[in-house]
Amino acid sequence: MIDGIINRINTIPEFHIFGRVHAINGLMIEAVGLQGAVAIGTKCQIVSTSGHKTLAEVVGIRGDTAILMPFADLQGVSANCRVEVEESHNFIYPSQAWLGRVVNALGQSVDDKGPIESGTVPYPLKATPPSAHRRKMVEGKVDLGVRSVNTFATCCKGQRMGIFAGSGVGKSVLISMLTKYSDAEIKVIGLVGERGRELQEFLHNYLGEEGLKQAVVIAATSDESALMRRQAAYLTLTVAEYFRDQGKDVLCLIDSVTRFAMAQREIGLSAGEPPATRGYTPSVFAEMPKLLERAGPGTKGQGSITGLFTVLVEGDDHNEPVSDTVRGILDGHIVMERKIAERGRFPAVNVLKSISRTMPGCNTDEQNALVKKAKRILSIYEDMAEMIRLGAYRKGSDPEVDEAIKYYPKLEEFLGQLPQESATLEQCYAQLKEILGAK
């Protein structure tokens, strides 16, 4: 505790650099008098006419003018207001005391449990991923507790997976199940741009008091500024990196990358970037790999960060720009479909379209054979589904279709799972083996 306070005191500058507000244009503030003292990403405090301070970040520089974007409302800010340069806001000081806490994008407590004890080592919000040639291999399975994912998209420690779903398909419930039932040592959850009412629901109904003890939740709701939403994603990875450096295997979950991209688009457009694909600015596609690559296996002596990143598919188009970009960066994808949810099977995971790039290598030959057989049965049934429903298929015409008709109901039941139900990796493969009658 004392070390943390001393560390914070040491970051207080000996003098303050300040400038003045020159103009305000929408959410952007033009400040003068800061030339040579600020760079992109520098944090500043804008002092309003009433003395209230609003945190802002430099997002652009035009000649001798710094372009700032605020983290909160600009109420009371006018021309000639003082702009003070901050020195220590690009770092956070995480510690073990963060476990069991809920914080905002600035690392401040929002759970009414008092201030959070700071650590002694500064961690940058925008860290560089470990060098590719120094990273360990991805190995060892992670039990996520959900049958459809454990069996058909098995995840390994240090792997990065995307969860692709449209709105209202059950993505949030699947996320809560993965968080609650995963066997990861530490869980770091970033709720980026989510509905405000869902935070308490997530904490109490899904995660629970026991689940929260080994978790850190970073929340930035949809009504908060674009900078807060973007920084919540950066902070989530920073906290995960802290626990990874302690030798822990961390499950890092961000819901959602799409809202991070939307926040970056809002910032980029306000700063004067040209819109590109579907209005997304070039910086969106530059920032996404920098964020997502921070997850993965650590170097020698470190733990790992297993990343689960949700993508809110716009208009159920799985080839829209954000989905397409994220899919190319990650090590696999879990696809959720509306038509599966509409027929009442939850989680609505389409196992035929979902893939884990590390899965064949981490499974035994027997497990791979089981999964291959189950997928073949599901694929054959889906191809013939319309004919079967219309009664146009005559039993005995094709042995493979007959087999698919026999096993399909049992496989559908296997893939469905209640939110309060969990299943271990061993149970998943044992149940699948029993359904398929494998020897």
Side-chain angles (χ1 to χ4, degrees):
M1 182 75 171
I2 297 298
D3 290 340
I5 294 171
I6 292 172
N7 192 64
R8 286 299 180 90
I9 291 172
N10 289 336
T11 63
I12 297 174
E14 296 179 3
F15 57 90
H16 279 292
I17 300 171
F18 67 91
R20 296 287 177 184
V21 172
H22 173 65
I24 301 172
N25 184 14
L27 293 176
M28 307 308 293
I29 300 163
E30 295 182 13
V32 295
L34 299 174
Q35 56 267 33
V38 296
I40 299 296
T42 301
K43 301 292 193 299
C44 299
Q45 293 281 3
I46 302 170
V47 185
S48 70
T49 51
S50 63
H52 175 74
K53 290 187 176 183
T54 301
L55 185 65
E57 181 177 312
V58 177
V59 295
I61 297 173
R62 191 180 300 124
D64 292 338
T65 304
I67 312 299
L68 289 84
M69 193 170 190
F71 279 85
D73 191 60
L74 285 174
Q75 190 77 24
V77 176
S78 64
N80 291 320
C81 280
R82 184 182 175 110
V83 180
E84 300 176 350
V85 178
E86 289 284 330
E87 293 292 332
S88 59
H89 277 73
N90 286 326
F91 294 88
I92 61 163
Y93 295 81
S95 70
Q96 293 290 330
W98 285 51
L99 286 174
R101 303 301 299 269
V102 184
V103 301
N104 65 11
L106 302 175
Q108 300 165 342
S109 167
V110 292
D111 55 8
D112 299 325
K113 294 181 181 179
I116 301 177
E117 182 179 336
S118 297
T120 57
V121 180
Y123 275 75
L125 285 168
K126 291 187 179 182
T128 304
S131 174
H133 74 275
R134 293 180 57 237
R135 275 184 157 173
K136 296 182 293 185
M137 296 285 287
V138 172
E139 57 186 2
K141 294 182 184 180
V142 177
D143 191 341
L144 295 173
V146 178
R147 281 192 293 266
S148 54
V149 178
N150 267 353
T151 313
F152 292 93
T154 310
C155 190
C156 296
K157 294 176 183 177
Q159 188 173 350
R160 297 161 305 176
M161 294 278 283
I163 301 173
F164 296 76
S167 58
V169 181
K171 171 174 55 66
S172 296
V173 177
L174 175 61
I175 290 303
S176 66
M177 292 170 70
L178 296 171
T179 305
K180 187 174 183 178
Y181 301 130
S182 166
D183 65 352
E185 295 176 272
I186 303 290
K187 299 160 187 176
V188 181
I189 305 137
L191 303 177
V192 180
E194 290 300 307
R195 304 172 188 91
R197 67 157 185 86
E198 286 187 342
L199 178 58
Q200 291 302 320
E201 186 178 293
F202 180 83
L203 292 174
H204 297 289
N205 295 351
Y206 298 136
L207 193 57
E209 189 175 337
E210 284 301 311
L212 186 59
K213 286 181 180 178
Q214 290 302 109
V216 182
V217 178
I218 295 96
T221 52
S222 59
D223 60 315
E224 295 189 60
S225 70
L227 279 177
M228 288 289 275
R229 283 178 272 135
R230 185 185 70 170
Q231 184 153 310
Y234 290 137
L235 181 59
T236 302
L237 265 302
T238 301
V239 174
E241 286 166 343
Y242 165 77
F243 287 107
R244 177 203 64 195
D245 292 349
Q246 310 303 308
K248 304 292 186 182
D249 290 317
V250 183
L251 177 67
C252 176
L253 195 150
I254 293 182
D255 185 18
S256 68
V257 173
T258 304
R259 293 193 173 107
F260 165 80
M262 289 178 173
Q264 181 61 43
R265 176 175 63 180
E266 189 177 328
I267 294 165
L269 289 172
S270 298
E273 274 192 85
T277 313
R278 292 205 187 178
Y280 287 102
T281 57
S283 63
V284 172
F285 304 104
E287 286 297 319
M288 277 198 291
K290 292 178 184 177
L291 176 76
L292 302 177
E293 283 287 350
R294 291 169 66 181
T299 56
K300 187 176 180 180
Q302 295 181 338
S304 64
I305 301 174
T306 304
L308 292 176
F309 306 103
T310 70
V311 178
L312 185 61
V313 179
E314 188 177 337
D316 287 345
D317 177 12
H318 287 265
N319 293 317
E320 55 92 21
V322 174
S323 299
D324 212 27
T325 301
V326 172
R327 191 164 47 242
I329 297 169
L330 301 181
D331 308 317
H333 47 271
I334 299 163
V335 177
M336 303 183 72
E337 287 200 345
R338 193 174 303 279
K339 66 179 182 180
I340 296 176
E342 287 171 349
R343 68 174 185 243
R345 197 252 280 167
F346 293 96
V349 176
N350 186 328
V351 297
L352 296 176
K353 292 184 179 179
S354 302
I355 188 169
S356 168
R357 292 191 173 97
T358 64
M359 179 177 161
C362 70
N363 275 353
T364 64
D365 291 341
E366 182 187 14
Q367 290 169 343
N368 282 329
L370 277 172
V371 172
K372 185 178 179 180
K373 183 177 180 181
K375 280 191 170 184
R376 183 177 59 82
I377 289 169
L378 290 169
S379 178
I380 291 170
Y381 188 92
E382 291 294 335
D383 288 343
M384 298 292 293
E386 286 300 319
M387 291 185 67
I388 294 168
R389 292 191 189 102
L390 292 171
Y393 175 75
R394 183 175 295 177
K395 187 177 179 181
S397 300
D398 188 328
E400 287 191 334
V401 177
D402 292 341
E403 183 186 40
I405 293 171
K406 175 185 175 182
Y407 289 119
Y408 186 79
K410 294 179 181 178
L411 288 172
E412 274 287 287
E413 185 180 352
F414 171 79
L415 293 172
Q417 188 171 335
L418 296 173
Q420 54 272 34
E421 182 186 355
S422 67
T424 65
L425 278 163
E426 292 76 14
Q427 290 171 343
C428 292
Y429 283 109
Q431 288 177 34
L432 187 61
K433 185 176 180 179
E434 184 180 347
I435 289 169
L436 299 178
K439 295 181 181 179

